[in-house]
Amino acid sequence: MTLEIGFLGPWEIRVDGLPVRLTGRRRIAVLTRLALNAGRPVTSQQLLADVWAESPAATAAKQLQIVVSKLRRALEPYVGGEVIGTVAGGYRLDLPHDRVDAHRFTRLARQAQLARDQGDTAGAAELFRQALALWRGRALAELAEPWAQIESSRLEEQRLAAVEDHFDLRLAAGDHHAVVPELSTHVLAQPLRERPRAQLMLALYRAARLSEALAVYQDIREVMVAELGIEPGAQLRRLQHAILTGDPALDLTSPAQQSRLSRPVAPAELPADTHAFTARQAEITWMREVVLAESTPGAPTVAVIDGPGGLGKSALAVHVAREVASRFSDGVVYVNLHGATPGLQPLSVIEALGQLLRQLGLDGNAVPADLDGALARYRSLTATSDLLMILDNAYDALQVRPLIPAGSGCRVLITSRDMLATLDNARHLHLAGFGDRDATALLARIAGPARVQAEPAVAAKIAELCGGYPLAIRIAAARLAARPHWTLSDLADRLADTARRLDTLQYADLAVRTSIAVSHRHLREEPSGQDAAQALTLLGLLDTPTHTPAATAALAGWPESRAEAALERLLDARLLEPAGRSRYRFHDLIRLYAREQAMAHLPAPERAAALRRGLHHYLATANTATLILHLPAPPVYPSDEPGLALADAREASGWVVDERDNLLAAAHQAAESADPGTAIGLSIGLHWPFNYRGWLTHLIDVHRGAIDIAARCGDPAGQAQVLSFLGWAYRDQGNYELAVSHLEQALRCYDRAGLPLRKIGSYNNLGIVHTLMGRFDLAIGHLERALAIAEETGKRYDQAAVRNNRAHVLFRQGRHDEAIAEAEVVVDMWGGLSTLYGKGTAHSTLADAYRHAGMLTEAAEQYRAGLTFLREAGYRIGCAVSAWHYGDTLHALGRHAEAGESWRESASLLLDARLLTRKEVDELLAQPVPEMPPPLRNML
């Protein structure tokens, strides 16, 4: 019996020509996936990713085994054995290629192309007919999964190429009358394909239908300008001119025409320049200088333009090539290597060489079929050429290196998403996205300047939402051009919805999502890229602005070295951007794609577990930073993850600075997750690390969210702690009444929780706020209550902190001797403890007491001692306060230069903490005796 599988149309299995019934979407999908790779293994991981993308991983593997078992039982009666074999890591369909219609089509199409190249036009035409007769409709039409759609697009592109190759043969054979109606139908189905338009124009011309031939050109020109903003390519423009002038080369008997018909149209000419090309003047200047410079003897000049998809690398290369083409006596050749073309595999070296050799004048039997022979002929032809070559859309250095011509008279422009860093003697241009001005200019060029001028702020917003990607801006502009009733605000509203942005950035055959997906799919298909592909999806779960190996390792549950390798591979694939040492970031549009992938392909429990691991990495490390910087006490909300092992205060402080924005993003994301403990823990865990930098006001929204979460989930202790910290943040903001209100709420929450001994911090902070408000009696009362609890619990750290603040009340009341005595006791208390922060604060408070008592020399000595400890502790906001008062003290002592240095240190710390702007700092320090900066007035 002969078993055959067909999916070039409605899916079917036939045995000896009779249909066999097979039901079940997943059975059909698995068998199709195996049939596409007939005779070759397909990994279980690939089958699960493609067919069970939406199912939990725990059950999918078992389901795959069941499906394969049922397929074996269903097919075994017709093949007399097991047609689906088990191999290492997967399965293999043991069926000859010719029993699968897609493979049979590919074989026949290739044989037809070979026969054509060898001059057997009749044989080639028959083979094309046989190949195209296999098609019964759209390939894989019953399967909606992404992998099936990609394969369907690939097969459809091969079918279109075969159809058009067949038309070429029929035109060469004088069949122009018969092909006109077929080509007319084909053109209607493929309105933007230029090759069949050229074939239809030629057929009509030969059929003496000149006006109709010219109308075909005018029609596609109007379509391309309206929908894409570009003119038809050089081939169509030259054909129109030839028809207008009655060029004899168009006649069937012309040798020139016979030669032209025998080689493919698409890669033979440089593509047209885009009508909407905008900006890039600096890049154009650089490329012109490289291309036109004197070459190094013995080697061609090679310029590589690299960057993520959608930046306009190809458009830039073509634009420059057209500008300089006249300088090259042997002309310009162009090959699209399809390194990142949706639905197509990258060209092999032999395929690319075949195109290049045909462009260089060889044809038929003159093009060697073997790689070594083709390379030798290529080097010979380019050894003395004065040639400009564009190798567009290269996949990697392995693909492009053999295509570098031999002659030093050649100039090569290469575009690629890969950096191609290993190419010898290459100059590199790393292309970036557009700035706001250029992005808006491109928008205006396609959508119309009047619309942009009518809403300039909205136009800038659209450019921002497109992330500076020329492809995204072109699509947005094309949508506007196609919908004249839309305002720019209509489009901006659609783009502002992150759930719809990638859908909005899709129009006709252009799509940002598809451009990104090509690179992602390449990674999934490479053994060395699968970790990177998985990491991309996982990173879509985390809202942090940047990603580190440590956080990614926690997110994925991998060792840090494995995570770093995956991030580096994503960087190479231009799916991540560098953001500092061992730090990476997404472009906004790629971030949206990654989030889509995570939501589509990771089961909900897996998403929740991964996100918790990622957030707990930040919680754990923030807790560690608190232990090192502040007090060695166990965290109230411990983490599931180990976090980073920070060695000392310097390392802890550096980590907080580096991760500031990520920590805020993680805290906000935790508040939106279904994980209250993590949200409350991060809100509390960030307090002390942020306090040391002077960033408490940045936590106000985080604390508000955590308070609501704690109230909803019945956690009065957590609510109390966060209320107390929020009161502290309001105090730093200068909002004293709100600070008092939240601190008093914290006390009530501690009572509800039955935890009166935890009130120390809230009472202590109330004492500080009332001190700053000048309510000294209230301040003393709250501090006495805090001290009583601290003494009852035996907490020496808390006793020292509260007495330190009481000293501030005393010298403000004019009780200088008591204040100095109290501060001296606090210095002694902290001296017996290991906390640098406390020692520095104690010496600074003693200095404050001396300064208010007029004992300036003693005050200066204590400020110096305090600043030494505070700097070592990394307590930068404390340093800023003490350095400012030290400056005041030095100025009063007549040491004006030293005073200026101390004020500058304080102002620099406030600038670094983003509590003052550069302008404010300059204005402040320009004063002979500067006033205390507002951020310091809210601190003791």
Side-chain angles (χ1 to χ4, degrees):
M1 294 183 181
T2 301
L3 174 73
E4 295 177 299
I5 297 174
F7 40 80
L8 298 182
W11 200 93
E12 64 177 15
I13 297 180
R14 288 183 173 272
V15 175
D16 293 340
L18 299 176
V20 173
R21 179 175 171 79
L22 182 69
T23 59
R25 181 179 64 84
R26 284 179 172 157
R27 293 185 210 175
I28 291 173
V30 169
L31 186 55
T32 303
R33 200 72 183 86
L34 292 171
L36 282 165
N37 294 270
R40 300 195 307 274
V42 180
T43 66
S44 299
Q45 184 179 5
Q46 185 69 58
L47 289 168
L48 291 171
D50 288 342
V51 182
W52 275 270
E54 77 283 5
S55 298
T59 61
K62 183 63 176 177
Q63 291 175 28
L64 172 59
Q65 293 174 2
I66 294 169
V67 165
V68 170
S69 177
K70 289 182 177 179
L71 282 172
R72 285 170 172 162
R73 287 200 300 271
L75 299 177
E76 187 175 357
Y78 307 106
V79 294
E82 193 170 85
V83 72
I84 301 177
T86 300
V87 297
Y91 302 93
R92 180 182 63 226
L93 180 66
D94 294 319
L95 196 68
H97 272 203
D98 259 20
R99 304 281 185 84
V100 180
D101 61 358
H103 294 304
R104 190 156 67 252
F105 164 75
T106 300
R107 176 183 62 78
L108 288 167
R110 285 176 179 167
Q111 288 177 344
Q113 291 162 356
L114 181 61
R116 176 201 62 196
D117 292 346
Q118 292 174 345
D120 181 7
T121 55
E126 178 57 27
L127 287 165
F128 275 129
R129 274 192 289 271
Q130 292 178 26
L132 293 169
L134 295 171
W135 284 78
R136 298 168 287 107
R138 180 171 175 76
L140 304 172
E142 293 89 349
L143 298 176
E145 292 86 353
W147 67 268
Q149 295 302 305
I150 290 172
E151 291 294 339
S152 176
S153 297
R154 178 181 65 81
L155 290 166
E156 176 64 9
E157 186 62 32
Q158 292 180 2
R159 185 189 72 83
L160 293 174
V163 167
E164 291 157 15
D165 283 345
H166 192 205
F167 280 137
D168 266 351
L169 290 174
R170 294 176 65 185
L171 284 168
D175 202 17
H176 41 269
H177 290 288
V179 300
V180 166
E182 296 175 42
L183 271 168
S184 297
T185 302
H186 185 58
V187 162
L188 285 174
Q190 308 294 331
L192 293 176
R193 287 180 76 86
E194 294 190 45
R195 185 183 181 189
R197 294 275 187 165
Q199 292 170 326
L200 180 56
M201 288 170 68
L202 181 60
L204 288 166
Y205 174 82
R206 289 183 181 171
R209 297 160 68 176
L210 178 62
S211 61
E212 292 174 68
L214 294 172
V216 171
Y217 175 85
Q218 190 58 36
D219 179 63
I220 191 172
R221 182 183 181 277
E222 290 173 359
V223 171
M224 293 181 73
V225 170
E227 295 197 15
L228 304 179
I230 60 174
E231 294 286 338
Q235 180 73 14
L236 276 177
R237 296 201 305 273
R238 278 201 293 273
L239 181 55
Q240 182 213 25
H241 182 264
I243 290 171
L244 288 169
T245 59
D247 189 343
L250 299 181
D251 296 335
L252 181 62
T253 57
S254 165
Q257 173 62 18
Q258 294 294 333
S259 173
R260 188 176 298 119
L261 285 172
S262 68
R263 64 178 188 259
V265 175
E269 303 291 344
L270 190 63
D273 202 355
T274 173
H275 171 73
F277 189 87
T278 303
R280 300 292 193 201
Q281 195 53 54
E283 292 88 347
I284 291 170
T285 300
W286 180 89
M287 291 175 64
R288 285 177 61 93
E289 290 175 354
V290 171
V291 170
L292 299 178
E294 197 70 30
S295 62
T296 303
T301 298
V302 179
V304 176
I305 311 168
D306 67 76
L311 288 186
K313 301 181 293 294
S314 299
L316 176 60
V318 169
H319 183 79
V320 172
R322 289 198 163 276
E323 284 191 355
V324 303
S326 62
R327 307 287 188 94
F328 296 89
S329 58
D330 291 325
V332 183
V333 295
Y334 170 90
V335 176
N336 186 342
L337 298 172
H338 294 304
T341 303
L344 294 180
Q345 292 297 315
L347 289 187
S348 66
V349 174
I350 189 65
E351 288 172 328
L353 283 170
Q355 293 191 18
L356 288 167
L357 287 170
R358 282 189 283 271
Q359 291 185 48
L360 291 171
L362 297 188
D363 220 335
N365 292 328
V367 178
D370 64 294
L371 180 59
D372 289 342
L375 282 171
R377 195 65 190 275
Y378 178 63
R379 293 179 188 127
S380 176
L381 286 172
T382 59
T384 58
S385 294
D386 180 29
L387 185 71
L388 176 62
M389 177 180 296
I390 293 84
L391 301 176
D392 192 18
N393 197 4
Y395 180 63
D396 60 13
L398 288 174
Q399 181 195 38
V400 83
R401 187 177 287 112
L403 307 179
I404 304 297
S408 59
C410 296
R411 304 291 188 274
V412 186
L413 294 180
I414 305 172
T415 71
S416 180
R417 298 188 183 190
D418 193 288
M419 292 182 66
L420 305 181
T422 59
L423 279 186
D424 295 333
N425 305 316
R427 302 279 300 277
H428 294 268
L429 174 63
H430 306 304
L431 204 60
F434 277 163
D436 291 345
R437 179 179 298 179
D438 291 339
T440 305
L442 177 58
L443 186 69
R445 198 154 185 183
I446 301 174
R451 297 170 83 174
V452 171
Q453 290 165 7
E455 299 180 89
V458 181
K461 183 63 176 178
I462 290 172
E464 177 189 339
L465 292 170
C466 289
Y469 264 31
L471 173 62
I473 298 161
R474 284 174 61 84
I475 295 170
R479 276 188 168 272
L480 287 170
R483 290 166 175 77
H485 59 284
W486 276 15
T487 65
L488 267 66
S489 296
D490 292 330
L491 177 62
D493 290 343
R494 287 169 168 81
L495 289 172
D497 182 352
T498 56
R500 293 200 301 168
R501 190 177 306 166
L502 291 180
D503 292 330
T504 304
L505 293 175
Q506 179 172 335
Y507 184 71
D509 62 337
L510 300 177
V512 168
R513 181 188 287 111
T514 303
S515 176
I516 300 167
V518 172
S519 294
H520 192 198
R521 183 166 183 84
H522 280 326
L523 288 175
R524 288 201 300 267
E525 291 173 347
E526 297 173 10
S528 62
Q530 291 182 9
D531 273 358
Q534 184 179 352
L536 178 79
T537 302
L538 287 168
L539 290 173
L541 296 170
L542 204 56
D543 290 345
T544 53
T546 63
H547 301 283
T548 64
T552 305
L555 187 71
W558 295 342
E560 188 171 336
S561 58
R562 182 179 174 186
E564 183 172 26
L567 291 169
E568 284 291 310
R569 186 68 186 85
L570 287 170
L571 184 66
D572 290 339
R574 313 318 283 268
L575 292 168
L576 284 177
E577 302 170 355
R581 182 174 176 272
S582 294
R583 191 171 293 274
Y584 312 81
R585 71 163 65 88
F586 276 128
H587 184 279
D588 286 346
L589 298 178
I590 299 177
R591 178 190 299 279
L592 293 178
Y593 170 84
R595 185 176 299 162
E596 281 187 351
Q597 294 297 299
M599 297 305 294
H601 299 299
L602 295 178
E606 191 175 329
R607 291 198 304 269
L611 178 59
R612 181 178 173 87
R613 290 194 301 268
L615 295 177
H616 273 238
H617 163 78
Y618 287 107
L619 173 59
T621 314
N623 287 340
T624 300
T626 296
L627 293 177
I628 293 172
L629 293 171
H630 190 59
L631 294 176
V636 179
Y637 291 83
S639 169
D640 300 342
E641 295 293 313
L644 288 174
L646 305 172
D648 51 31
R650 180 186 297 274
E651 192 170 320
S653 185
W655 179 81
V656 172
V657 171
D658 291 342
E659 294 282 16
R660 172 186 178 276
D661 293 339
N662 284 346
L663 287 164
L664 286 171
H668 284 296
Q669 188 172 7
E672 295 170 1
S673 71
D675 190 351
T678 302
I680 300 167
L682 274 167
S683 177
I684 294 171
L686 295 185
H687 171 80
W688 285 109
F690 272 51
N691 177 50
Y692 270 52
R693 309 297 302 189
W695 296 338
L696 284 187
T697 55
H698 295 291
L699 292 178
I700 287 175
D701 287 342
V702 171
H703 289 333
R704 285 172 176 163
I707 289 166
D708 290 343
I709 291 168
R712 287 199 305 270
C713 70
D715 182 2
Q719 186 179 3
Q721 181 68 80
V722 183
L723 278 165
S724 186
F725 285 160
L726 180 56
W728 191 329
Y730 282 133
R731 182 206 82 190
D732 280 6
Q733 199 179 53
N735 198 333
Y736 297 147
E737 293 295 349
L738 207 52
V740 169
S741 171
H742 282 78
L743 289 165
E744 289 176 345
Q745 289 180 59
L747 293 175
R748 291 193 290 273
C749 283
Y750 278 128
D751 286 336
R752 286 204 308 274
L755 298 169
L757 298 183
R758 288 196 188 174
K759 293 182 179 181
I760 298 172
S762 301
Y763 278 132
N764 188 43
N765 274 313
L766 278 167
I768 294 171
V769 177
H770 284 301
T771 300
L772 292 169
M773 297 173 75
R775 301 172 178 174
F776 300 129
D777 291 341
L778 284 173
I780 286 292
H782 287 304
L783 292 173
E784 292 294 348
R785 294 184 189 93
L787 184 58
I789 297 173
E791 289 173 343
E792 180 183 348
T793 57
K795 293 182 177 179
R796 296 279 291 169
Y797 292 99
D798 291 332
Q799 293 172 38
V802 173
R803 295 188 67 171
N804 180 82
N805 295 329
R806 187 165 65 179
H808 280 272
V809 181
L810 294 172
F811 66 67
R812 281 173 168 80
Q813 290 179 315
R815 298 158 65 180
H816 299 302
D817 291 342
E818 293 176 73
I820 291 169
E822 183 78 340
E824 287 174 338
V825 169
V826 173
V827 168
D828 289 341
M829 291 178 73
W830 280 115
L833 301 171
S834 60
T835 304
L836 295 171
Y837 146 83
K839 293 177 182 180
T841 301
H843 281 285
S844 294
T845 298
L846 179 55
D848 290 339
Y850 280 137
R851 179 167 57 87
H852 279 76
M855 303 168 65
L856 300 181
T857 301
E858 291 85 350
E861 181 180 347
Q862 290 301 317
Y863 279 129
R864 277 197 306 275
L867 282 166
T868 299
F869 286 120
L870 292 173
R871 289 177 188 128
E872 189 176 351
Y875 188 32
R876 291 170 69 85
I877 194 64
C879 285
V881 175
S882 293
W884 193 269
H885 292 320
Y886 186 32
D888 289 343
T889 304
L890 292 170
H891 189 271
L893 288 169
R895 295 157 62 179
H896 295 168
E898 294 175 78
E901 290 178 8
S902 194
W903 286 328
R904 277 191 293 275
E905 178 187 357
S906 177
S908 176
L909 290 167
L910 294 174
L911 176 65
D912 186 52
R914 307 179 205 181
L915 297 175
L916 290 179
T917 66
R918 169 55 66 186
K919 181 182 179 183
E920 289 171 330
V921 167
D922 292 342
E923 290 174 350
L924 187 70
L925 296 179
Q927 301 172 23
V929 181
E931 299 177 2
M932 175 179 279
L936 300 185
R937 297 173 192 167
N938 303 317
M939 302 176 188
L940 294 184

